Amino acid sequence: NYTIEDSMAYHPPKKRYTELKRTLKTRHIQMIAVGGVLGNGLFIGSGKVLGNSGPLGMLLGFLI
């Protein structure tokens, strides 16, 4: 029979491979850099436009 005590018994986790490869290739670093530059540029640029548009424009821009 299956009881509540059986379901609450501790079952140790199965062994898993926990080794992490810590290798970044040149293309990975380049893509991270490009993403950071584009993200910051869009953030700064949209902030200026939203600041000039006023409260309604900012609300509409946020919703879109």
Side-chain angles (χ1 to χ4, degrees):
N1 292 341
Y2 185 76
T3 63
I4 295 175
E5 289 83 21
D6 292 336
S7 67
M8 297 176 69
Y10 173 73
H11 298 288
K14 294 179 181 179
K15 287 188 177 182
R16 295 182 181 175
Y17 295 103
T18 58
E19 294 180 17
L20 178 65
K21 287 188 176 181
R22 296 184 184 209
T23 56
L24 281 177
K25 296 183 178 177
T26 304
R27 67 174 180 258
H28 297 140
I29 297 172
Q30 289 174 347
M31 291 305 290
I32 291 170
V34 168
V37 168
L38 290 177
N40 286 332
L42 289 173
F43 184 71
I44 300 288
S46 65
K48 185 185 284 186
V49 171
L50 290 174
N52 291 335
S53 65
L56 181 61
M58 185 173 291
L59 180 63
L60 291 174
F62 178 75
L63 292 175
I64 292 172

